[in-house]
């Protein structure tokens, strides 16, 4: 325990940098994927044939091991192997694969009679989508977002294996030092804490955005 | 007035939902479309607010073709009540009711204020306003649905199986409420139902749709009961149409006897104020099983006569004092002449055609 503390005192700056980078590398892809998943999920929801293609593509992406993807991307994109953009793109793809599916599921779950009632009240399609359909799909979409966020926080660690920052660097350092525990423990605790905090934040947003979803559970 | 001019709806797969429908829905009246499922009644209703477009023919509101107006704009001026209410689960009751005024540009604040008044109008306490639909009972949701449809004060109200999803007791309440509201508001209402009893109870006029999208009969409910156009309508109306038809016949023409008139060894006993207490006989005091007032229909009177241990219905005045008796034999005479008049009227109508 004291070793962990002294490691923190000596390498505090490195740990902090790794944490900040971890946050960026994990959350930026989720944010990008979330924005992209809305139109794509809507497309999948709307058009039957697109559904099959998109969901199959998503499953295929998910089966590609993350390390392989991180090594493949520089070759495909012409980026440097050490460029963090590879991580961002790889994780965006994973998140997208998950979020397109949950967004479509969320939209599918909206009661069609409610949408019909909205049209009958005189909603035009765009306004109906943003003020009725999307809010009603939110509980399912946000549940998907929670899964994607937690998964990303853990997956970013892999990036350290190819020399990109994040808390994963603390693991690799521990191994390089002959299974020296302090950096490994610190990396583990911070990474779990980050996942928990991010999850709680999304839950807080969810409670704020969808108070009605809880009202039903009498 | 809403007019259907030889309206046909044919789907690409060849299914014909409505075929050559022509009828006129009177302004300020409740017109009911009734028939078995798949008879095209809902399709016909939805062509009024352009939820469905006719393949051929026209639907006119006050002489104007509905297709001449942008859908959204048209719909905001036509109230719509859907089966199971179709409320927005993510909005409170007040915000649900305020929907259409807000779409029309009224501020949320003003729309919510008038929504509060509408809740009262449909018989809901104001404290339900901040609840979500899932926190209400089915009957309450349906009332909110009606309030939402009335919020922009539309001249026309479309109701698609509005009371099908609630239990019979609640349905009865909602039907009464609708009739009360209509007596205050005088909207042009088109209501779709598969329940012939609901149609007869609520409709000023009833359009009976048969399988194959055919309009079997379009008439006031009394005529439907008195003279079904064909076997299909007769079977839909049911076996006891004779008795139910009495509900539309005036009960005030029956001979009235004095309250001292003894019946089969029983005599009516009244309290010092003249209110009926029961029938006094050898077995003691028997109940009257209810009373009726002037203006009651023949069905009510007949029911009382059947229930009464004396075979006589007791009429009371506005203060509840007994002021006359209707005896079984007088009732029989009245019903008999009623049916003869009905048949004579039918024959006249037949001749006129």
């Amino acid at each position: 325990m004291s070793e962990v503390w002294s490691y923190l005192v000596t390498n505090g700056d490195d740990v902090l940098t790794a944490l900040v980078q971890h946050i960026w590398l994990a959350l930026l892809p989720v944010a990008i994927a979330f924005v992209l998943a809305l139109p794509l999920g809507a497309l999948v929801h709307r058009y039957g044939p697109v559904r099959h293609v998109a969901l199959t593509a998503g499953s295929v992406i998910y089966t590609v091991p993350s390390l392989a993807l991180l090594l493949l991307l520089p070759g495909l994109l012409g980026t440097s192997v050490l460029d963090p953009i590879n991580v961002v793109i790889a994780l965006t793809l994973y998140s997208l694969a998950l979020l397109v599916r949950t967004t479509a599921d969320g939209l599918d779950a909206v009661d069609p009679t409610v949408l019909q009632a909205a049209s009958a009240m005189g909603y035009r399609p765009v306004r109906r989508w943003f003020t009725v359909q999307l809010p009603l799909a939110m509980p399912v979409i946000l549940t998907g977002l929670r899964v994607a966020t937690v998964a990303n926080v853990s997956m970013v660690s892999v990036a350290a294996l190819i020399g990109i920052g994040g808390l994963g660097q603390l693991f690799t350092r521990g191994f390089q030092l002959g299974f020296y525990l302090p950096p490994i423990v610190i990396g583990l605790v911070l990474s779990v804490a980050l996942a928990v905090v991010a999850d709680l934040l999304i839950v807080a947003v969810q409670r704020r955005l969808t108070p009605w979803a809880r009202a039903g559970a009498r | 007035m809403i007019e259907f001019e030889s309206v046909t709806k044919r789907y690409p797969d060849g299914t014909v939902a409505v075929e050559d429908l022509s009828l006129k829905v009177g302004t300020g009246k409740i017109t009911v479309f009734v028939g078995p499922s798949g008879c095209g009644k809902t399709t016909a209703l939805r062509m009024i607010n352009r939820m469905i477009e006719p393949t051929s023919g026209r639907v006119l509101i006050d002489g104007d073709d509905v297709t001449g107006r942008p859908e959204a704009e048209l719909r905001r001026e036509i109230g719509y009540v859907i089966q199971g209410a179709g409320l927005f689960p993510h909005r409170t009751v007040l915000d649900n009711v305020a929907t259409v005024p807000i779409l029309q540009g009224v501020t949320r604040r003003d729309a919510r204020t008038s929504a509060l008044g509408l809740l009262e109008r449909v018989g809901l306490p104001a404290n339900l306003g901040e609840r979500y639909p899932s926190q209400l009972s089915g009957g309450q949701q349906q009332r909110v649905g009606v309030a939402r449809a009335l919020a922009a004060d539309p001249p026309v109200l479309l109701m698609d199986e509005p009371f099908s999803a609630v239990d019979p007791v609640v349905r009865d309440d909602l039907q009464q409420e609708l009739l009360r509201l209509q007596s205050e508001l005088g909207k042009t209402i088109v209501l779709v139902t598969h329940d012939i009893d609901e149609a007869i109870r609520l409709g000023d006029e009833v359009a009976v749709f048969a399988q194959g999208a055919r309009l079997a009969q379009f008439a006031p409910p009394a005529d439907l009961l008195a003279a079904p156009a064909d076997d299909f309508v007769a079977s839909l109306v049911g076996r006891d149409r004779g008795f139910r038809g009495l509900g539309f016949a005036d009960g005030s023409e029956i001979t009235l006897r004095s309250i001292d008139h003894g019946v089969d060894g029983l005599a009516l006993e009244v309290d010092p104020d003249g209110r009926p207490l029961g029938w006094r006989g050898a077995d003691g005091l028997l109940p009257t099983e209810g009373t009726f007032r002037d203006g009651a229909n023949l069905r009510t009177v007949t029911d009382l006569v059947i229930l009464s241990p004396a075979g006589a219905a007791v009429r009371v005045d506005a203060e509840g004092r007994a002021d006359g008796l209707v005896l079984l034999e007088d009732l029989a005479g009245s019903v008999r002449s009623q049916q003869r008049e009905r048949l004579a009227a039918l024959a006249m109508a037949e001749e006129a055609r």
Side-chain angles (χ1 to χ4, degrees):
Chain A
M1 196 61 211
S2 65
E3 274 184 88
V4 169
W5 185 247
S6 63
Y7 186 90
L8 254 186
V9 172
T10 336
N11 300 290
D13 284 350
D14 286 354
V15 171
L16 192 66
T17 313
L19 177 65
V20 170
Q21 201 164 17
H22 198 99
I23 294 174
W24 274 112
L25 288 176
L27 300 190
L28 184 63
V30 182
I32 297 172
F34 182 68
V35 172
L36 290 178
L38 291 182
L40 289 175
L43 220 65
V44 170
H45 161 72
R46 186 88 190 259
Y47 301 103
V50 177
R51 164 174 296 261
H52 189 68
V53 174
L55 297 186
T56 309
S59 304
V60 169
I61 291 176
Y62 232 86
T63 55
V64 178
S66 51
L67 192 55
L69 193 59
L70 286 173
L71 292 171
L72 271 174
L73 277 175
L76 291 173
L77 302 169
T79 46
S80 146
V81 177
L82 288 177
D83 197 335
I85 193 90
N86 298 323
V87 179
V88 172
I89 290 176
L91 293 187
T92 301
L93 283 175
Y94 284 127
S95 305
L96 201 57
L98 188 77
L99 291 179
V100 167
R101 186 185 285 264
T102 52
T103 303
D105 286 348
L107 293 171
D108 290 348
V110 177
D111 183 354
T113 59
V114 170
L115 297 179
Q116 209 172 69
S119 292
M121 301 285 114
Y123 272 92
R124 293 199 178 87
V126 174
R127 188 166 182 174
R128 190 184 84 162
W129 202 83
F130 280 105
T131 63
V132 180
Q133 201 165 5
L134 186 60
L136 287 177
M138 266 305 160
V140 178
I141 295 178
L142 289 177
T143 303
L145 189 68
R146 284 174 66 185
V147 176
T149 305
V150 172
N152 268 14
V153 168
S154 83
M155 268 201 285
V156 170
S157 306
V158 176
L161 290 180
I162 55 159
I164 297 170
L167 293 171
Q169 277 185 330
L170 297 174
F171 301 141
T172 48
R173 176 147 339 148
F175 281 113
Q176 282 156 5
L177 296 174
F179 215 73
Y180 180 53
L181 274 179
I184 297 177
V185 170
I186 293 169
L188 201 64
V189 169
L190 285 181
S191 149
V192 169
L194 184 59
V196 170
V197 168
D199 193 49
L200 287 178
L201 270 177
I202 299 174
V203 171
V205 168
Q206 191 166 17
R207 289 174 88 89
R208 181 103 189 87
L209 280 184
T210 61
W212 53 274
R214 276 172 301 133
R218 271 185 286 181
Chain B
M1 185 165 69
I2 302 170
E3 267 173 282
F4 287 81
E5 276 186 1
S6 357
V7 172
T8 295
K9 178 64 189 179
R10 188 177 290 107
Y11 286 101
D13 67 356
T15 322
V16 178
V18 172
E19 187 150 38
D20 197 28
L21 174 67
S22 294
L23 67 81
K24 290 177 183 170
V25 170
T27 303
K29 287 185 176 175
I30 301 182
T31 302
V32 180
F33 292 179
V34 66
S37 57
C39 68
K41 56 192 192 296
T42 299
T43 306
L45 179 87
R46 291 186 178 172
M47 287 195 278
I48 298 172
N49 69 349
R50 298 190 64 193
M51 297 285 284
I52 295 174
E53 304 281 8
T55 314
S56 65
R58 300 194 302 166
V59 180
L60 311 171
I61 297 181
D62 293 332
D64 298 321
D65 191 334
V66 292
T67 56
R69 302 200 42 207
E71 293 168 22
E73 200 182 292
L74 174 81
R75 290 173 189 162
R76 288 171 197 174
E77 289 167 23
I78 298 178
Y80 193 82
V81 182
I82 197 171
Q83 180 177 8
L87 300 178
F88 301 129
H90 62 309
R91 294 198 188 142
T92 61
V93 165
L94 275 189
D95 287 329
N96 262 286
V97 176
T99 302
V100 181
I102 289 175
L103 285 174
Q104 286 177 328
V106 176
T107 64
R108 180 157 181 263
R109 192 199 181 90
D110 289 350
R112 280 170 57 94
T113 308
S114 16
L116 210 52
L118 272 160
L119 284 190
E120 196 186 339
R121 177 138 244 182
V122 299
L124 288 174
N127 63 18
L128 290 187
E130 293 306 328
R131 300 235 185 127
Y132 289 102
S134 58
Q135 296 171 307
L136 305 184
S137 71
Q140 288 171 331
Q141 289 186 25
Q142 206 52 258
R143 283 171 195 261
V144 176
V146 173
R148 181 173 68 173
L150 292 173
D153 198 21
V156 175
L157 198 58
L158 307 181
M159 309 182 87
D160 186 5
E161 301 262 6
F163 310 135
S164 305
V166 293
D167 68 66
V169 177
V170 176
R171 187 181 313 146
D172 189 71
D173 278 357
L174 290 170
Q175 288 171 344
Q176 258 179 41
E177 195 78 7
L178 178 67
L179 289 173
R180 183 189 63 76
L181 267 175
Q182 174 65 354
S183 69
E184 292 170 10
L185 302 174
K187 302 282 183 196
T188 303
I189 299 178
V190 184
L191 185 146
V192 162
T193 181
H194 60 266
D195 177 356
I196 185 70
D197 291 321
E198 183 166 271
I200 285 170
R201 178 166 187 197
L202 297 178
D204 293 312
E205 294 212 87
V206 177
V208 180
F209 286 68
Q211 212 61 259
R214 180 176 63 88
L215 183 61
Q217 190 168 4
F218 185 47
D223 293 4
L224 222 57
L225 291 166
D230 56 21
D231 290 349
F232 171 75
V233 180
S235 73
L236 191 72
V237 167
R239 280 184 194 280
D240 50 355
R241 66 183 176 89
F243 182 59
R244 282 150 65 201
L246 294 179
F248 296 94
D250 186 9
S252 61
E253 284 175 16
I254 320 167
T255 315
L256 211 58
R257 305 288 178 122
S258 137
I259 60 168
D260 321 320
H261 193 95
V263 192
D264 197 25
L266 297 170
L268 188 69
E269 193 165 298
V270 295
D271 70 7
D273 293 329
R275 295 189 182 84
L277 291 172
W279 293 98
R280 177 67 67 185
D283 305 330
L285 198 64
L286 299 169
T288 62
E289 300 282 3
T291 57
F292 72 98
R293 289 190 181 178
D294 197 21
N297 64 49
L298 212 44
R299 181 175 173 169
T300 307
V301 178
T302 306
D303 197 49
L304 286 170
V305 170
I306 293 168
L307 283 171
S308 164
V314 182
R315 196 179 86 162
V316 295
D317 63 15
E319 277 76 46
R321 290 184 295 250
D323 70 353
L325 298 177
V326 167
L327 305 188
L328 184 55
E329 51 266 38
D330 298 327
L331 174 78
S334 185
V335 170
R336 193 158 47 225
S337 59
Q338 194 87 36
Q339 302 302 2
R340 283 184 192 157
E341 278 170 31
R342 174 176 69 84
L343 291 173
L346 279 179
M348 286 252 292
E350 196 70 25
E351 233 167 83
R353 232 186 281 164

